[in-house]
Amino acid sequence: MRFTGLAKLAVTAVMAGATALAVPAVAQAAIPVSGGTPVLVNGVAGCTLTAAGYDAAGTPVAFTAAHCSDRINAPVVLRGDPGAGVIGTVATRNEILDYSVIRLNPGVVVPVRQPGVTGRGAPPEFGDVVCKDGMSTGHTCGITWQRDGNEFWSHACAGYGDSGGPVTRDGRLVGLLSGGHMPPAAGSVGSVGAILPSCLHPVQSPVFLPALAYSFDAIVTDATDRNWPGRGFRMA
């Protein structure tokens, strides 16, 4: 936290006397990707996709955390299947809302809806229970401690590698996981944040840093207002 081969083609030529027969090329089926899919950005940064779908231009795209990469055009591969090849490249990034848009390679992957996610929703308020999915700690849930504009803090267990993961409430995508961070409302209690570890497993509860996330609606609005890749995003 802030805290891959290309589609394979097989051609067989069989010679019989002066006659050559060629078997048509067969492409490997596109691999489904969705919110919660683990990826490696630029070959080193393990992160998690927030959601996958299509932007207003009909381009297949996915979102993850901006801090997973430090440059545009960084290649992205599947964490669990790097031999599948480059599934896309970072098309744009915003460090303020900590999001990147990945332009997906339709010859390698296809966007699908994350199971259990019915749509998008507004960011949670104090007391709401949210859940997150990530590469390192899987599916965990916790109470929301604070919301401040487009940011909100929860006690869902999250650690390194979960960055970019989807945060959901009642089956709706509400945020992009950014990192471990004490909420401003913690006041003087926030001073313990310097000694609290990131979460490695839910059994640590409650002794780990709360998780900071950004409103996914705000992220899509930002990309749309800037006319960036990902504008007008709709989930698969």
Side-chain angles (χ1 to χ4, degrees):
M1 251 165 95
R2 207 163 176 167
F3 285 117
T4 17
L6 296 174
K8 298 174 182 177
L9 302 179
V11 178
T12 303
V14 179
M15 301 298 295
T19 304
L21 300 178
V23 176
V26 178
Q28 176 177 295
I31 302 168
V33 294
S34 67
T37 297
V39 294
L40 284 174
V41 183
N42 205 28
V44 294
C47 288
T48 304
L49 297 186
T50 321
Y54 301 87
D55 66 12
T59 303
V61 295
F63 288 77
T64 193
H67 70 262
C68 296
S69 63
D70 59 3
R71 63 183 179 88
I72 304 299
N73 294 324
V76 182
V77 300
L78 294 172
R79 173 66 174 79
D81 188 11
V86 175
I87 68 165
T89 55
V90 174
T92 193
R93 53 194 302 276
N94 181 326
E95 294 185 356
I96 296 175
L97 292 175
D98 195 24
Y99 76 87
S100 288
V101 179
I102 300 166
R103 184 179 288 111
L104 297 174
N105 182 349
V108 179
V109 294
V110 59
V112 298
R113 179 77 62 93
Q114 180 182 359
V117 175
T118 60
R120 286 174 22 207
E125 302 291 348
F126 172 76
D128 290 339
V129 174
V130 296
C131 299
K132 78 102 204 29
D133 291 275
M135 178 179 76
S136 298
T137 59
H139 182 79
T140 60
C141 302
I143 192 171
T144 300
W145 292 123
Q146 183 183 358
R147 177 189 167 194
D148 184 6
N150 296 323
E151 302 173 314
F152 61 92
W153 291 259
S154 74
H155 218 64
C157 173
Y160 295 98
D162 295 334
S163 294
V167 182
T168 57
R169 176 175 180 257
D170 295 335
R172 292 190 171 272
L173 177 63
V174 298
L176 175 153
L177 185 69
S178 178
H181 194 285
M182 291 296 288
S188 60
V189 178
S191 62
V192 304
I195 62 174
L196 287 177
S198 295
C199 189
L200 299 176
H201 193 280
V203 296
Q204 285 177 243
S205 185
V207 190
F208 56 79
L209 275 171
L212 166 65
Y214 289 88
S215 164
F216 191 68
D217 274 356
I219 286 169
V220 174
T221 296
D222 185 78
T224 301
D225 289 347
R226 296 174 186 272
N227 199 30
W228 280 358
R231 63 191 182 278
F233 175 76
R234 57 184 175 85
M235 283 188 282

